Amino acid sequence: MIVQTKRTELDEFAEKVLHGVNKALRELVETSAANNQSLVVGDDKGGFKTVPAKELLKTLPKQE
């Protein structure tokens, strides 16, 4: 089944991309926290706010 194989490959690729993005975001927050900086994040209402990186770091899941 060629269609199913391609979907599996796409799912695996998407998972790898998401893992890489999460890793990069965590590194950004860790570096910003180490430098006592803040980051701008979007909220659930389409707005944005500035958050200290140290506070944001507390909300991120642990990296594998």
Side-chain angles (χ1 to χ4, degrees), residues 31-46:
T31 301
S32 298
N35 292 320
N36 204 29
Q37 296 175 332
S38 295
L39 295 169
V40 177
V41 296
D43 63 18
D44 57 349
K45 297 177 183 172

Side-chain angles (χ1 to χ4, degrees), residues 1 6 9 12 21 23 29-30 43-44 48 50 52 62:
M1 312 282 234
K6 287 193 181 257
E9 289 174 4
E12 290 173 4
V21 168
K23 183 177 178 181
V29 175
E30 287 174 348
D43 63 18
D44 57 349
F48 59 90
T50 303
K62 299 293 181 195

Side-chain angles (χ1 to χ4, degrees), residues 7 10 13 23 32 44 48-49 60:
R7 182 165 305 276
L10 286 174
F13 177 71
K23 183 177 178 181
S32 298
D44 57 349
F48 59 90
K49 59 183 176 179
L60 294 179

Side-chain angles (χ1 to χ4, degrees), residues 1-27:
M1 312 282 234
I2 295 171
V3 173
Q4 188 175 16
T5 301
K6 287 193 181 257
R7 182 165 305 276
T8 302
E9 289 174 4
L10 286 174
D11 289 343
E12 290 173 4
F13 177 71
E15 188 176 324
K16 289 179 183 179
V17 169
L18 286 174
H19 179 74
V21 168
N22 286 334
K23 183 177 178 181
L25 287 173
R26 181 163 192 88
E27 289 176 12

